[in-house]
Amino acid sequence: MESHSPLQRVHHVDCVVVGAGVVGATITQQLARRGVGVALIDRAPGIGGGCSYANAAIVAPHHVTPLATPALLREAPIQMLRRPPAVRMQPDPSILPWAGSLMASAAPRRAHLAGERLSRLAAESTRLHCLLADEGLSPTLRKTGAVDVYLRPPRRRRADLLSFERLTAIEPALAPVAAGAHHAEEWTLESRSFVKAMLDDASRHGADVFFGTSAERLLTEHGRVVGVAAEGMILLADHVILAAGLGSATLAAQVGLQLPLRGGRGYVIDVAAGDHAPAMPVRIKEHRVVVTPLADRVRVCGSIEFGDERRPMDPGRAEALKTVAARVLPGLERAAVVDRWAGERPCTPDGVPVIGRSRTVENLSVATGHGMWGMVLAPVTARMITDAVVDDVEPAQDAWLSPDRYDGRPARHRRTLRTA
């Protein structure tokens, strides 16, 4: 194994989780509750430093779909031309192979199968969200329902469409729209409160949480991952879990595991709550903008941009989202801005997450690539990772999420934490 400086603190734990976003925090909580000695590290100074903050704050299981679908191919050119564009591809030659793979993954049969599988995961994850709330571990989860609205009559006729008059009986804050639909089985959930609850519970069960600590490299011995070298410390472990969003790819590449992730940038603008706030989330379908009422603010979220992830945030994009939202909810037009944010959602070229234990790199698991669905899928992701790491329970049907699916190397022998 690599040597380390005597000035570095050395910790011995069963498991290291890299990344304290909504997925990493939930994994840490589940591992700690199973009696695993776990350390969680994150480079951010505190909760909400990454893209787990830049989300719509909705648990909407029936809307979880792969990024790669035939609808994406049909709608993307139109969405790119809208003002503001809901989808944007920055000029960046390095993204072309990834984009080509995404288009290939949008083949109808392939996308349909992935959609069915993701829907099942989302339904189960929502059930787990509700169980966490029942235990007092998700203090801001509220069943609110949601409405979809169309500024123009949709091209495809839908049996569930409601008139504006019926919509305003459900959501009085709406301005006139062409049509809409109501979805009763949806929840709102503020992400930072959820992450805090997960980390508090993990700490109560013995987990160590280190913010402001970057994972610099994975430590290996005889081809096995044996820990993480971080700022000022060495964490030796029987297992390492990468849940660091786009940063997971850099660490995985150190041990030869290729994760072709790209950032899909989403924007958030929060405005002050007041009498103008809707009672439930409102999705503006043509612009892919979501407006979500929270306890102390109203969140407006939308856009997905691909390109150079290092480019600075464009404040005008967030303001444009507010302008769109005010067309449907006019009370938002004069609402004071509380915060603006942009986050890089980790996206895979086949449009579905990377969840599971590697069969080619011993002692390594990955949980990333959730795109827009990290919040809703966090509990089921945590259960899948915990079952695989602790009990070696990893059903064959979960291979479609495997971190090894992007290369063809043979599987290696694996040890569980129970048998290590």
Side-chain angles (χ1 to χ4, degrees), residues 1 5 44 69 103 150 155 211 226 239 259 348 357 382 399 419:
M1 190 179 74
S5 166
T69 64
M103 293 176 66
Y150 295 86
R155 294 181 180 180
F211 279 107
V226 295
H239 204 87
L259 300 177
T348 63
R357 185 169 180 168
T419 60

Side-chain angles (χ1 to χ4, degrees), residues 28-248:
T28 302
Q29 186 257 358
Q30 289 293 303
L31 287 170
R33 282 206 154 201
R34 292 287 301 274
V36 175
V38 57
L40 171 65
I41 61 174
D42 194 290
R43 67 181 180 181
I47 291 170
C51 70
S52 285
Y53 176 65
N55 64 63
I58 297 178
V59 176
H62 300 297
H63 287 267
V64 175
T65 60
L67 178 61
T69 64
L72 171 74
L73 300 185
R74 289 195 306 269
E75 295 178 15
I78 298 172
Q79 294 293 353
M80 288 180 184
L81 294 174
R82 291 197 190 280
R83 291 292 176 265
V87 177
R88 188 156 70 172
M89 192 77 71
Q90 298 283 353
D92 181 359
S94 71
I95 204 171
L96 293 178
W98 184 92
S101 296
L102 187 73
M103 293 176 66
S105 298
R109 181 177 297 182
R110 188 172 181 177
H112 178 74
L113 179 59
E116 287 186 335
R117 290 167 166 172
L118 273 183
S119 292
R120 288 194 293 269
L121 283 183
E124 175 61 10
S125 201
T126 301
R127 185 185 73 84
L128 296 174
H129 266 298
C130 293
L131 289 178
L132 288 168
D134 290 343
E135 293 183 49
L137 297 176
S138 189
T140 61
L141 184 74
R142 294 192 303 125
K143 189 174 183 180
T144 58
V147 292
D148 295 343
V149 299
Y150 295 86
L151 301 177
R152 300 179 183 85
R155 294 181 180 180
R156 295 188 178 186
R157 302 185 67 178
R158 290 173 41 180
D160 62 342
L161 287 183
L162 304 175
S163 67
F164 172 63
E165 290 72 24
R166 293 183 65 186
L167 283 172
T168 53
I170 299 168
E171 178 46 77
L174 290 173
V177 294
H182 177 234
H183 305 276
E185 296 296 310
E186 297 195 19
W187 292 254
T188 59
L189 176 58
E190 198 280 315
S191 56
R192 286 185 293 187
S193 67
F194 179 77
V195 171
K196 183 179 186 303
M198 292 297 97
L199 297 184
D200 287 348
D201 191 59
S203 296
R204 286 192 293 269
H205 287 84
D208 294 315
V209 179
F210 301 98
F211 279 107
T213 304
S214 293
E216 296 172 344
R217 67 186 186 280
L218 298 182
L219 303 176
T220 59
E221 184 178 55
H222 305 304
R224 298 182 295 116
V225 173
V226 295
V228 177
E231 290 177 297
M233 71 173 71
I234 296 292
L235 294 162
L236 301 179
D238 295 318
H239 204 87
V240 172
I241 299 165
L242 301 181
L246 292 179
S248 301

